Amino acid sequence: MRSPKDFFAPLALGAPEPLREIPVPPSRMIHFFDPSNEKMAAKAPDIAKKVDVLLGNLEDAVRADRKEAARDGLVAIAKANDFGKTQLWTRINSLDSPWALDDLITLVTEIGDKLDVIMVPKVEGAQDIHYVDRLLAQLEARAGLTKPLLVHAILETASGVANVEEIAGASPRMQGISLGPADLAASRRMKTTRVGGGHPGYLVRTDPVGEDINEGRTTYQQDLWHYTVARMVDACAAHGILPYYGPFGDIRDVVGCEDQFRNAFILGCVGAWSLHPVQIDIAKRVFSPAPEEVAWARKVIKAMGDGTGAVMLDGKMQDDASYKQCLVVAELADALAEDDPELAKAYADASTED
């Protein structure tokens, strides 16, 4: 472990100074596309106008014989477009693959000034982040970059979950962590073939109501990922970085997708992955506070004054703790409204009605 006084020193001569605070622009959806797919690549500039984060995927879902094409495609797209306030991310191949090193060398050298975040899959522990951290510093120095690239880890192995706290605090580059449910399920030997979401067999059942043990017993499907998401959220909050839900693989089940995203949002996640355009609007809606919630939060903040003491508001007790909860909602709403006129109007109208 590095000494605290050296933690924010560049790891290579000429590399940019690490950030001391992670920027928090809107990132309600991380929209994945395959840069080796010509149809997807052609749509990327238009999709970028609708999303908070556009991610060029080089890893899973890209065939082995298309890895170089995906890498080259992302370079070409980044060079040809200005995405404005939309963040440009990439997911490189896993560190144990034959492509990861070339991914980093090529992308940092060619488009390091266009990239915001590099997503690293299958992170097992702090050692993986340390490796990427040092390598990025060397490449940034060689490329003459003035802004450090940030790193996002995917939590998709049992070892990664066991070491999530050390991963979250491994480097000043750490931007956030995403849940990777499919690979994590395989790593844990979970008996599900779904990509994210619940499972009908993972349930609780009410007690018997009579002599027949099968009669009148209601079942409730449980959330397979609650423990892991909660632990990830705690680790991220403790280290000042951002937690995200990952993919929901059943594109047709927009109801289940919305429910899973909302669970993650309420629990503390700032966004989720979108794998298809239909999921973009779901993520945008779910990870934006509801206007009525924002109106209530602002009402509490106004009533609490300096945020100390306690007041009764509509029959509900509000104190220092609830004031802090309301600040979370109101501050997120203000940040999102800055770049979204429709959302700003909805928030203003709800507050006026209240």
Side-chain angles (χ1 to χ4, degrees), residues 5 12 14 52 58 83 100 112 116 192 202 257 265 283 287 301 308 342:
K5 70 180 188 305
D52 295 333
L58 309 184
F83 295 117
D116 294 288
T192 176
Y202 192 71
C257 177
F265 173 65
F287 289 97
I301 292 168
T308 63
E342 290 185 8

Side-chain angles (χ1 to χ4, degrees), residues 41-59:
K43 294 177 181 178
D46 287 333
I47 290 287
K49 300 172 184 177
K50 305 174 184 177
V51 300
D52 295 333
V53 178
L54 183 69
L55 182 144
N57 182 30
L58 309 184
E59 197 220 8

Side-chain angles (χ1 to χ4, degrees), residues 10 100 118 125 130 140 143 145 148 152 185 189 242 247 259 275 277 287 295 315 332:
I118 293 176
H130 294 162
E140 288 166 344
L145 300 184
H152 183 103
R189 302 186 64 81
L242 307 177
D259 289 342
L275 306 181
F287 289 97
L332 174 57

Side-chain angles (χ1 to χ4, degrees), residues 19-41:
L19 297 178
R20 292 180 178 266
E21 188 172 347
I22 296 299
V24 190
S27 48
R28 294 162 291 184
M29 76 295 292
I30 305 171
H31 186 71
F32 277 58
F33 79 100
D34 176 359
S36 74
N37 183 309
E38 292 182 2
K39 290 184 178 179
M40 285 190 182

